[in-house]
Amino acid sequence: MRPTTPHHTVPQTRSPLTASGAPELPFRQFLLKIHSRCDLACDYCYVYEAADQSWRDRPRIMTAETVRRTSALIADHAREHRLDRVSVVLHGGEPLLVGAERLDEMLRLLVDGLHGITEVGLTVQTNGVRLAEDRALLPVLHRYGVQVGVSLDGTPAVHDRHRPRRNGRGSHEATARALRTLGRTANRALYAGLLCVVDLAADPVETYEALLEFAPPRMDLLLPHGTWLNPPPGLTRRTVPPTSSPGPLPDEPTPYADWLCAVFDRWYDAPLRETGIRFFDEIMTVLLGGSTRSETVGLAPVDLVVVETDGSIEQADSLKVSYPGAPTTGLDVFGNTFAEAAAHEAFRVRQRGLAGLGPVCAGCARVQVCGGGLYAHRYSPTARPTPFASPSVYCRDLAVVVDHIRERVTRDMALVLGRRTGGGSR
């Protein structure tokens, strides 16, 4: 799972210098793994099913002392960089397995630790099952104004195929109950949106409309995690990174692009805006000259850091799909600070924009938009100078999606500008 956060431009802050003399870029998103286990058995889960299996050696629940220490370090980081706002995402596993009492304690420690120093936006990313089954959780989320993002994979059949409970039963019914609860007027302010993992076997438009039934304020469509070593479903032949950027026409099948373009056209052609789709919104933002703070679109520097249940400070957990230990930094909240993490080469390499990409991506006309794709998806053991110097395993698909959206937006912008200047059809 990945957190749902609103897209926005990156504000400028005054930052100290690292040992190399380059400015240290602060973290603004802090993802806390408050529970390391889950009540579902999703077949694509990068935490339990991928190369890195470090979850087995970690405590199930983040202790109050770890939360307290993390909150103090976030406060120090915000004070040092004069950050007027930070985001804290509660994640897992399944974070709501901590239960209402512990959740209340964790949130109180976070809020109290940051009070008077910076504004904090709180989010929880959940599968929704505990929210449907434990009535004590919702009042806690209300008390602290926690935004709730829910994972839902489309129709009941598709969702249950990929997201069963640990006993094999489906989870859609419980997730749907949680979403109906969030959709009520009294709870709507907490409803952040939906995350959906793309399934090539599912009809794209049917999937989008199944998500739309729950009236999400926004949603995101996630590509299944994969690398050049372990390609995603439907791309099993993509094992060798390309040596040149994609041309104007695809030179191989691009099933994920076909799926995403079908959803884009259905969404974009709606007479009224039905919801936001983060992936599409961010591509259009960059195409129109804006900037985003995203791991999947554009060249903005990474500003997200992860704290595991044992207090380890790590990179984005999507890196677990590449190789064992890929997200690790050797740092933790008891012996280190977020300033030390921000200066760590593991984060610095992801803050160099175009200069941090390999030659194929750097020479591509689409690089300002796709940004090389999600960092984890670039992994290839044979790539040089680093194993993440290759383009994304989704390179060809991303190129088709970017070109498709650019063509649609450019055509419509020309029509709008033509009407304003008195040209074009009337």
Side-chain angles (χ1 to χ4, degrees), residues 140-193:
V140 176
L141 299 173
H142 268 291
R143 190 172 304 130
Y144 296 94
V146 181
Q147 294 283 290
V148 182
V150 180
S151 297
L152 181 72
D153 280 355
T155 66
V158 173
H159 179 96
D160 287 343
R161 180 166 70 243
H162 293 295
R163 303 181 62 81
R165 296 174 186 254
R166 306 205 71 78
N167 62 10
R169 291 170 43 226
S171 64
H172 185 275
E173 186 274 333
T175 302
R177 274 194 287 131
L179 288 169
R180 285 192 288 270
T181 297
L182 287 172
R184 293 173 188 157
T185 302
N187 305 321
R188 182 76 183 177
L190 301 183
Y191 190 6

Side-chain angles (χ1 to χ4, degrees), residues 7-11 28 285 290-293:
H7 82 271
H8 49 280
T9 58
V10 181
R28 298 175 182 277
T285 294
S291 62
T292 66
R293 192 174 76 189

